[in-house]
Amino acid sequence: AGDVVVAGKIPVDREENNLTAYAVTSGEIAWSRKFTGGTYRLAVHEKNDRIFSYLRGENQRGVQCFSVRDGSSLWSGATGVVMNAGKVTREDMLSRDGYSVACVDASSGETKWIYRTSTGPQGSYYGPGAMAVQGKLAIVGTMDGQVLALKW
């Protein structure tokens, strides 16, 4: 993302930072922070100025956004959709779990829409990674064996 490589890890203890940015040219730590969420599920804004991860908390699931520059929190929003996969366009951030796709404004975190992709029990079809996004079109495979084109 820009001039840093952002790496996440599962912390050994509660006090350990689990999201670190390294300067591309020197390998030195640019910033490091602790945050809740799965650091292995990250998406980067195309301008390389924001990082997105899933939001996890007590009765909360959604997306959170961080600054690439210093790792500061920019916004978080509960959508009810866990970000098992995420794609970012110029204006939108789409997060996907086994059952739904949520679209939020990439700048503010405001939820634009949520679409329920699967109606049946999870099967062995297209999981959360089966998603491609370009502009205002998302192609999404579903856990009940369908492929959907969503345009907004």
Side-chain angles (χ1 to χ4, degrees):
D3 59 353
V4 296
V5 173
V6 180
K9 67 177 181 174
I10 297 172
V12 175
D13 60 50
R14 291 181 182 260
E15 302 306 314
E16 186 178 16
N17 286 346
N18 57 346
L19 188 65
T20 304
Y22 299 91
V24 171
T25 55
S26 68
E28 293 180 13
I29 294 176
W31 54 262
S32 182
R33 65 167 290 155
K34 184 176 81 167
F35 84 114
T36 60
T39 57
Y40 48 89
R41 296 176 184 144
L42 301 173
V44 179
H45 191 266
E46 66 181 27
K47 290 190 213 173
N48 291 322
D49 61 350
R50 283 170 268 160
I51 305 165
F52 301 90
S53 180
Y54 78 86
L55 172 68
R56 176 180 66 191
E58 200 170 308
N59 299 322
Q60 267 193 324
R61 297 184 303 178
V63 177
Q64 54 189 332
C65 179
F66 301 94
S67 166
V68 168
R69 183 176 43 82
D70 60 8
S72 62
S73 181
L74 299 176
W75 56 259
S76 64
T79 60
V81 178
V82 174
M83 189 179 117
N84 290 334
K87 304 286 184 186
V88 187
T89 68
R90 181 170 288 133
E91 300 168 0
D92 303 313
M93 194 288 155
L94 284 89
S95 62
R96 166 84 195 273
D97 63 17
Y99 293 103
S100 301
V101 175
C103 179
V104 300
D105 183 282
S107 296
S108 68
E110 178 184 343
T111 300
K112 292 184 173 186
W113 53 264
I114 298 172
Y115 187 87
R116 180 103 170 142
T117 58
S118 295
T119 56
Q122 286 191 341
S124 59
Y125 292 104
Y126 307 109
M131 178 172 68
V133 177
Q134 184 173 12
K136 300 278 185 186
L137 180 67
I139 306 298
V140 181
T142 72
M143 293 301 285
D144 49 7
Q146 304 297 310
V147 176
L148 306 173
L150 305 173
K151 187 173 183 180
W152 67 99

